[in-house]
Every structure is written in C-alpha cells, then in structure tokens.
Amino acid sequence: MERNLHRQLANMKKSLFDQGYLDEQFIQLEELQDAANPNFVEEVVTMYYRDSARLIQNIDHALEKNPLDFAKLDNYMHQFKGSSCSIGAKKLKNECTQFKEYCETGNGEGCKRTFQQVKKEYAALKKKLEHYFQFARQVGPVEKACRPK
Amino acid sequence: METTGFSSPRPDAFPAGLRVLVVDDDSTWLKILEKMLKKCSYEVTTCNLAKEALQLLRERKDGFDIVISDVNMPDMDGFKLLEYVGLEMDLPVIMMSVDGETSRVMKGVQHGACDYLLKPIRMKELRNIWQHVFRKRIHEVRYIESHEGLEEIQMMRNGMEQSDDGYLFCGADLITGKKRKDVDFKQDDRQSGDPSSVKKARVVWTVDLHQKFVKAVNQFGFDIGPKKILDLMGVPWLTRENVASHLQKYRLYLSRLQKENELEASISGMKPSDVSSKDTADNVCLHNSSTAPQNNDTNGSYVVCGNKIPIKSVDSKICGEDMKIASVQMAESKEELIGVITDPQKSSNSITGLNLSSRQIGSNVRYEPKVPAQFSWTEVPLVQFKQEHKPQFQSQSWSAEVQPVQFKQENKPHFHSENSFSHLPLSKNHIQVDCTEPILSHHPIPSADEKDKQVDIRHNCIKSKSKRKSKGIGIVNPVESKAELFSVQPESLLTVCQEYEPIPCSVWNMKNHSLEHILLNDIDSSQRSLILGIGSGFRLWDEEFQGYSPQGDFYPQNAGFETIESFAHSNQELIADIPPLLYDSLNFDYGNQSEAMEYPVMDQGLFIA
C-alpha cells in the first residue's frame, strides 16, 4: 500500500514535469531536502507564493496605469521571473520571458495579455503543488528526489 | 612536506568552512542558496539588503572569504556593491542573475566580479566557488614570492658584502620563510580548514592607508611601481604585494573614471544638482562630524570651510570649466557627483562658493552655490557639498566620477588674482570631514615642501574598478592672505569639509563617486587665490601635506590644509585627475612662501576641508 502511495506521488510529480509545469530546478530543491530540512521544498514553495503575491499586485497596478511604464514593468517582472525560476516553475518562467519581451518592444497589449496568462499559470501551479505536497505528507516524511522518466 | 607551494586542498579541509556571504533581495533564493551552500559544507551568512551586507563586511573584516550577490537589488545595485567589496575588502565577488545577457555579464566582469552565475543556480556551480578564493591567495603569494624574495635576496647581497655566511643565512631564511608559508598553508588546511588563515591577514585599506598610498602614487606619477609606493608609504607591515594589488585596483578605477569623465566632460554648464542627498543607499557611512554652518541636512554634504580666504569672484569661464570638470557624471548610475560650482560673484570680496552637490546620474549636476556674498575677502566660504546617494546607483564607480582635475601648481610666490584655481584632487575615499570646527578655524597652511614642489597634480585616471570606491573629497582651500602661501599640494588637495550625516549614505565612501569639487576662488591681485579644484573623485592628500595625519585628517600642519575625512572606514581609491584644461587655467601663486615655507594662509583661514 505504501508502495502504491509512493507510486502515486511519483506519478503526480511526473505529470507535473511532463506537462511542463516544473523543471530541473524542482529536482534540485528536492535533492536539498534532507533530515535537517525534511519539508524543504514545501517551505520554499510556500515562501515563494507568499512573496510573489506582492509582485503580482505590483504588476497589476502598474498595468493599470496610463501610459505604461515599461521600464518599471520590466523591473517587476524581472524580479518575478527570478523568483519563479527558484522553484522551477517552467511554464511560468516562459510566460515571464514573453512578458519581458513585450516590455522591450513597448507592446502594452501584449504585456497585458501575457500577464493574464502569467496569473493563470501562477494559480494553476499553486494548486497543483499544494495538492502534491498534501499528498507527499501523507506518503511519508522524506520523499527522495527522483527524476521522472 | 612539500615545498612546491600549494598542494591540492584536502577534501576534509579547505574548501570546507569557506565563509560565504550571500546577498539577495529575494528571500526564496536566499533560503535556497543558504541550503545549497550548507550542503557544500560552507559557512553561510545571508543578507537581504546590500547595505546590511556592506555593514556586515565592514564590521567583520576578515570574516568572510567570498561574497555572492544578486545583480538587481532594490537598495543598491549589485555592481555597486561589487565595487565596494572589491575595493574595501578585496574579497572575490560572484554575481548572480536570472538575466544572462552578454552585456550584463560583461558589466559584471568589468566591475570586478570573479564570476557570474545564472539563476537557477546549480549545486555544482556553488561547489566550485572556492576556486576564486584559492586563486586569489595563490596570486598574492606568488607575487610575494616572485618579487619580494628576489628583492630580499638582492638586499641581502648588497648588505652583506663580505659575509658569505650572512648571505647564505639570509638566503636560508628566505627559503625557510617560503617553506614556512607552505607549511603554514598546509597546516592551516589541516587544522582549521579555514583558507583565510593561510595567508597573512588581509590588508584592510583604511582611509588613512589609502591616503598614504595615493600620496605616494601622486608623488611619482602614475607609473610608479608598487615597491616605490611601499617605500614612500613607509608602512612597515605592508607588503609589496598588498600595494601591488591595491595599485591595480586603483588604476582600474582611475581609468574607468577617466573614461567616464571623458564622456561626461562634454557636459557644459552645471545644472544645479540635487543637493539633498537622497539617501544613504550607498552604505558608506560617512562619519561626518562637521558642523559646517551651511550644512544641509542632506547626507554627505560637504562643507568646505575656508577661513578667510579672500577670494574674488571667479571667472565664470573658469566656473564653466569647473563645471565641466565637476560635472562628470556617472554614466551608468545615478551617482551623485559632487561638483563644485563656483559662483562668480562680482562683488569684490565675495567668494565664490563652490557647491558641491551630488549629482545625479546623468549629469544632473546641480550646484548650489553655497557661498553667497556673505563671505568677505577674508573669509572663505563654506562650500557645501552635498552628495546625493541614490540607492539605485548602478555603479558607483570611480569611473563615473568626474574626471579628476589636474592640478598644476606652480610655485609662485604670490597668487595672482587671476582666476586660478587649484584643483585638488580629492581623495575619494579618504576625505573625512571632520568639520567640527567652525569654518573660521585657521589652519596653517603647510608651506614646507610645497613651496618647492611643483604642484603637479596629475592624477591619472585610472580605470577604476567599479564602484566601490569611496571617494572622499578633500578640498583644499588654501586661503591666502597676502602673505599666505598657497600651498597646493602637488596632488592638489582639496579638502572639503564634509558634512556627513551619519546616514550610511556615504558620499565619500562611494568609490564610485568621483567628486570633483572645484573650489574656485578668484584671486585677484591681492594674491589671494584660493582655488580648489577638486578633481574628480577624491584624492588623497598627497605627500605634500606635511601635516597629513594618518587618520586622514588633513591637518596640514605645514600646509594648512585641512582635510576632512569623511569616511570612517577605509579604503577608498581616489584619484582624481584634473583635466588639463582646468589645470591650465590655474595659476597658482603661492602666497608668500615664507622662507620656512610656512603657509600663513592658515591664518587667513585657509580651510581645507
């Protein structure tokens, strides 16, 4: 039964990777997890979502301004992107890159559109990870990092 | 026991225990990096703010082996921090960013980063960071071995002409010494696992020390070698190797400065800059105890105290030139430039005040003439410098500073009242403003050697490293009364009374700041000429200052210049090269140079801040 749970967890993780939500960085985080920090990954992700919420807000507000301050937007997004790559949020990171490109070209519409995507991905990933961690806690204390196939 | 030098580090020792300081505004990354570094068996300290990091580094000199910093931080630009660390602490710094654009990476390297990592950072990359620490040490030791050893042998040889034994003995000592080095290294490896104890203690380039250094450099020109500098400095515990590496940085700094000065030199006309120093983002705490009257509450305002320096209004032309010089801006960042603006005052006895105001980036120099007509001939106006520190200074680099003004000081017995000004390069770092004294304090102008010496202030702009240098501005304002001597330090001393607010906005410390303060005093036929040009950046008083006290208080006992050190901490590389154009217009007449080469100026209240 335990093995079953483990397998399930592994599958969850695998699908997250397959669907492009997560990348290698997430594995790195899991490898950092050890006896001293058994819930390291979850802690990091929680921290990320807490801190980045503010950034999302900032960008939202900045996007409401007229005219748009692309430098500022780019700056915010740079921070957000940096944060997002810390947990290995792959899709999210790509959307951020796209957003920054629009900033560079001064494409306000593009920025706004992309940011909607960013927020969607952001929320979707959060749900998935919450689910994942919940399950992981049930499964067992130390979940060894294993690369999904 | 190997005598071949450093052996490969043992796995159980170095690099374990490497003391790393991580600076990143992103808490998530900070947490991750901390964990990663701990996994490498490093000793980790994390910091959210660059300012905090600088403070930590300053408090715990020799407490860290390497610094890892993010590039984009809200309170201070990572490159700026990089410069500071390199200049002040001489630690290897690794930059990190999610942005891997070539230009950014290049910038990092230019500013002295020993590596540039892209986020997300891999464990294996972090495992390897010890190589930067190791490399530095090896280079230092190699330098010593290659230079000192040889010289020592030579010295020995010369010294002990007859005794072969003596020579051998000395030689043996050298070898033993070398061996000891190796042994020590290995032992340290074994015992403490702390590579930092392998070498001799890291030299902390205090303001005072740096001043001596700059003095030495300026004395002989830019091409001076480390050995000569060392000799001139006369600091017994300093090694050639220390000087050499410091010299390298200094040169880098100056050349950068020069480059930026060239860029900025085309700025014509000084716009009044924000005198208010924005903030103390620059972390450099200026200990400014000056209480210059015209003290602004801005940070890092410099007050130039001149005592009774009769100054005529400065030619606007000169001012213009000064402006130009002073308007060197930091190209990249919002460095505040302190420029001295002379306000030509037509009133006969008015002193044109030079306002040093920090300039914002982008040649936004605004000078606020601080010297209203209130100053009489006998008084030297207080020039207030305000330096603005902007947290976002991208690069408080030396290069962003105004090009150092080059002083040429001629040894003339009297000052002509022509608009001559001496630009004294201010030592960027070491100007400590101790303006506790009233402006009217007199200080005898050191006359001694100055007289003879040609004030040849040639500050070579050395490509400076990035930002880190704090610059102190010293504006020497030689006040000359009729009999005064204008003691112009060859290096051009500009001492500026700086008023520093305790805020960490260290104007002076900003290495990047090159402040050119030009204090122009129009000197008319009354032979009062007091012109202080502040080269870009601050220069350390060169050796002309006899009364130069090691504390960086320029007390020109002979020179009558008072330099104020604004920095509590050391090392600033300063060099301000005074652009030749300024220099040419300078016409120093030394005030009466008494036989004793005294500078009576002090009586007149030559105040060198």
Side-chain angles (χ1 to χ4, degrees):
Chain A
M1 189 164 60
E2 185 115 334
R3 215 177 323 139
N4 202 12
L5 282 177
H6 270 105
R7 190 148 8 114
Q8 268 187 279
L9 190 65
N11 285 338
M12 274 179 79
K13 188 156 71 171
K14 185 171 186 300
S15 87
L16 282 173
F17 276 88
D18 289 344
Q19 293 172 46
Y21 282 104
L22 296 175
D23 62 20
E24 175 72 25
Q25 176 65 12
F26 194 81
I27 306 287
Q28 291 258 318
L29 292 184
E30 288 192 319
E31 283 174 356
L32 288 175
Q33 197 156 274
D34 56 14
N37 295 91
N39 298 312
F40 183 70
V41 189
E42 188 177 357
E43 284 165 19
V44 170
V45 171
T46 309
M47 193 179 238
Y48 160 74
Y49 272 102
R50 190 189 61 213
D51 292 345
S52 57
R54 187 181 28 95
L55 280 172
I56 297 267
Q57 260 185 354
N58 290 344
I59 300 178
D60 259 333
H61 288 157
L63 281 174
E64 284 166 13
K65 292 219 163 41
N66 197 7
L68 291 177
D69 183 350
F70 288 107
K72 204 181 223 183
L73 283 169
D74 187 75
N75 194 14
Y76 284 142
M77 184 47 81
H78 185 90
Q79 292 177 52
F80 183 74
K81 184 181 173 188
S83 248
S84 302
C85 76
S86 75
I87 64 164
K90 188 169 168 183
K91 266 192 189 175
L92 202 46
K93 193 165 80 163
N94 292 339
E95 295 292 341
C96 291
T97 308
Q98 181 69 61
F99 183 94
K100 287 189 82 178
E101 280 174 19
Y102 282 132
C103 280
E104 272 172 46
T105 57
N107 186 342
E109 278 314 304
C111 283
K112 290 181 184 166
R113 239 182 313 123
T114 309
F115 195 60
Q116 296 309 312
Q117 278 299 111
V118 165
K119 284 196 281 190
K120 262 201 333 201
E121 291 294 337
Y122 181 79
L125 181 63
K126 186 172 185 188
K127 268 209 164 61
K128 291 205 183 272
L129 285 175
E130 273 171 1
H131 187 52
Y132 176 79
F133 287 126
Q134 225 170 14
F135 200 74
R137 263 183 265 128
Q138 286 176 12
V139 170
V142 181
E143 170 70 17
K144 281 249 169 210
C146 53
R147 274 167 214 310
K149 299 265 179 6
Chain B
M1 190 112 49
E2 295 157 27
T3 57
T4 51
F6 299 104
S7 56
S8 50
R10 302 155 74 96
D12 55 345
F14 181 84
L18 197 71
R19 297 161 305 169
V20 187
L21 176 66
V22 188
V23 190
D24 197 333
D25 60 313
D26 187 331
S27 314
T28 313
W29 268 114
L30 222 49
K31 187 181 165 87
I32 296 174
L33 288 168
E34 183 180 18
K35 185 69 187 172
M36 286 170 89
L37 290 165
K38 282 197 171 141
K39 279 255 170 179
C40 299
S41 309
Y42 295 157
E43 224 181 80
V44 190
T45 311
T46 58
C47 232
N48 225 267
L49 294 171
K51 287 192 203 158
E52 263 175 41
L54 261 184
Q55 205 169 346
L56 254 181
L57 287 165
R58 287 179 184 140
E59 284 169 13
R60 290 201 251 162
K61 310 253 178 202
D62 265 7
F64 298 98
D65 297 311
I66 188 166
V67 178
I68 305 182
S69 169
D70 190 63
V71 168
N72 296 81
M73 291 187 287
D75 65 328
M76 182 193 289
D77 184 48
F79 295 122
K80 202 181 270 192
L81 176 66
L82 166 59
E83 276 191 14
Y84 276 123
V85 175
L87 273 175
E88 286 183 41
M89 293 110 200
D90 191 24
L91 288 174
V93 182
I94 295 179
M95 304 303 293
M96 316 180 275
S97 181
V98 69
D99 174 11
E101 249 177 72
T102 308
S103 58
R104 297 293 279 178
V105 179
M106 192 172 300
K107 192 172 180 188
V109 176
Q110 278 174 340
H111 282 84
C114 57
D115 206 350
Y116 194 109
L117 303 178
L118 293 190
K119 288 180 173 174
I121 301 183
R122 300 275 167 265
M123 266 300 281
K124 55 186 179 225
E125 291 173 309
L126 285 189
R127 277 197 202 280
N128 271 342
I129 63 173
W130 61 265
Q131 62 178 289
H132 304 292
V133 179
F134 196 67
R135 190 178 296 122
K136 231 180 169 84
R137 294 191 195 272
I138 289 194
H139 287 164
E140 285 172 347
V141 173
R142 274 201 198 131
Y143 186 88
I144 300 177
E145 289 177 0
S146 65
H147 289 76
E148 286 189 348
L150 203 59
E151 281 158 353
E152 276 165 358
I153 292 177
Q154 295 255 330
M155 272 164 35
M156 306 284 193
R157 206 176 267 150
N158 295 339
M160 344 214 53
E161 48 254 317
Q162 79 279 30
S163 81
D164 283 354
D165 290 347
Y167 173 68
L168 285 173
F169 174 76
C170 296
D173 268 357
L174 287 178
I175 295 170
T176 314
K178 262 180 81 158
K179 256 193 202 188
R180 211 179 311 122
K181 252 188 296 207
D182 299 338
V183 173
D184 283 348
F185 178 74
K186 291 166 78 64
Q187 275 174 353
D188 286 340
D189 270 356
R190 242 172 277 129
Q191 287 159 9
S192 65
D194 178 2
S196 65
S197 60
V198 168
K199 279 190 45 59
K200 57 188 178 300
R202 187 188 305 287
V203 171
V204 173
W205 282 89
T206 61
V207 172
D208 168 40
L209 199 60
H210 184 68
Q211 277 172 334
K212 287 196 174 130
F213 170 82
V214 174
K215 248 168 111 164
V217 170
N218 293 333
Q219 188 176 13
F220 276 79
F222 184 50
D223 291 328
I224 190 173
K227 181 173 184 228
K228 191 78 193 172
I229 298 174
L230 187 64
D231 292 342
L232 289 174
M233 281 175 72
V235 177
W237 51 268
L238 203 60
T239 68
R240 254 172 239 94
E241 169 264 327
N242 298 138
V243 174
S245 65
H246 195 71
L247 180 63
Q248 187 181 35
K249 290 201 197 101
Y250 188 65
R251 281 180 175 150
L252 282 173
Y253 164 75
L254 286 189
S255 63
R256 240 166 42 107
L257 202 70
Q258 182 163 42
K259 212 164 37 150
E260 294 190 6
N261 280 346
E262 282 159 7
L263 281 175
E264 305 296 350
S266 52
I267 294 170
S268 54
M270 308 290 228
K271 317 174 218 157
S273 57
D274 276 341
V275 177
S276 56
S277 51
K278 288 291 187 68
D279 63 308
T280 60
D282 283 319
N283 293 340
V284 180
C285 287
L286 297 176
H287 298 280
N288 186 356
S289 55
S290 66
T291 54
Q294 287 174 347
N295 192 8
N296 295 349
D297 51 342
T298 60
N299 299 335
S301 51
Y302 302 117
V303 176
V304 174
C305 304
N307 295 330
K308 305 193 184 151
I309 299 178
I311 299 172
K312 275 199 169 173
S313 60
V314 179
D315 222 13
S316 43
K317 183 163 66 122
I318 295 182
C319 289
E321 287 174 348
D322 289 340
M323 297 303 209
K324 264 200 216 173
I325 295 181
S327 64
V328 173
Q329 299 160 0
M330 307 281 252
E332 1 172 12
S333 58
K334 320 172 217 190
E335 289 241 341
E336 276 134 11
L337 193 71
I338 298 186
V340 175
I341 301 181
T342 58
D343 235 357
Q345 308 227 352
K346 292 315 173 185
S347 57
S348 53
N349 289 338
S350 61
I351 301 174
T352 58
L354 296 174
N355 289 319
L356 296 180
S357 48
S358 53
R359 242 182 4 159
Q360 300 267 356
I361 299 179
S363 62
N364 263 347
V365 182
R366 276 180 293 178
Y367 296 87
E368 294 182 4
K370 287 302 180 167
V371 188
Q374 69 201 51
F375 293 95
S376 64
W377 270 108
T378 54
E379 288 177 338
V380 172
L382 261 186
V383 176
Q384 222 164 17
F385 299 105
K386 284 198 235 183
Q387 191 172 28
E388 239 175 78
H389 293 282
K390 294 227 174 149
Q392 276 116 346
F393 266 171
Q394 276 276 328
S395 51
Q396 261 179 340
S397 54
W398 294 64
S399 53
E401 300 305 343
V402 176
Q403 177 136 42
V405 178
Q406 229 170 27
F407 274 159
K408 252 201 294 193
Q409 192 178 30
E410 301 168 48
N411 253 337
K412 296 203 192 153
H414 298 285
F415 269 118
H416 289 313
S417 54
E418 285 115 306
N419 302 322
S420 57
F421 42 76
S422 62
H423 298 279
L424 299 175
L426 295 174
S427 65
K428 292 191 181 139
N429 305 323
H430 297 290
I431 307 239
Q432 209 178 52
V433 178
D434 285 279
C435 291
T436 45
E437 299 200 291
I439 299 174
L440 299 184
S441 60
H442 311 292
H443 300 281
I445 295 180
S447 52
D449 309 341
E450 250 81 316
K451 253 193 337 186
D452 305 335
K453 291 189 193 171
Q454 177 118 46
V455 177
D456 189 49
I457 299 166
R458 269 177 336 131
H459 301 292
N460 303 314
C461 268
I462 298 177
K463 293 209 170 79
S464 61
K465 286 171 138 184
S466 48
K467 345 219 188 172
R468 280 210 296 172
K469 302 185 191 193
S470 45
K471 299 186 198 179
I473 302 177
I475 299 181
V476 175
N477 209 340
V479 179
E480 293 194 346
S481 48
K482 35 164 186 211
E484 56 254 11
L485 295 171
F486 174 75
S487 68
V488 177
Q489 299 304 335
E491 305 306 335
S492 68
L493 304 167
L494 289 177
T495 48
V496 179
C497 221
Q498 297 172 339
E499 206 172 42
Y500 297 102
E501 291 188 1
I503 320 175
C505 179
S506 51
V507 171
W508 300 109
N509 274 335
M510 303 286 219
K511 305 212 186 126
N512 302 334
H513 290 287
S514 52
L515 299 176
E516 278 194 350
H517 301 277
I518 300 170
L519 197 65
L520 297 179
N521 293 310
D522 195 29
I523 301 171
D524 66 3
S525 51
S526 64
Q527 290 132 23
R528 320 243 172 141
S529 57
L530 182 71
I531 304 244
L532 299 176
I534 300 178
S536 55
F538 299 86
R539 287 214 17 178
L540 286 176
W541 297 113
D542 71 1
E543 325 187 70
E544 299 309 312
F545 273 87
Q546 299 300 318
Y548 181 90
S549 84
Q551 289 322 306
D553 288 343
F554 294 100
Y555 261 92
Q557 279 123 30
N558 318 329
F561 290 102
E562 223 171 12
T563 63
I564 300 178
E565 277 192 355
S566 57
F567 305 106
H569 48 270
S570 53
N571 72 262
Q572 317 295 337
E573 297 181 10
L574 336 157
I575 295 274
D577 271 341
I578 302 175
L581 71 98
L582 272 184
Y583 183 56
D584 289 340
S585 49
L586 284 179
N587 212 356
F588 296 140
D589 284 345
Y590 284 101
N592 325 331
Q593 294 181 342
S594 61
E595 305 65 25
M597 303 236 226
E598 308 255 298
Y599 291 104
V601 176
M602 291 324 279
D603 283 352
Q604 302 305 323
L606 179 74
F607 178 87
I608 301 173

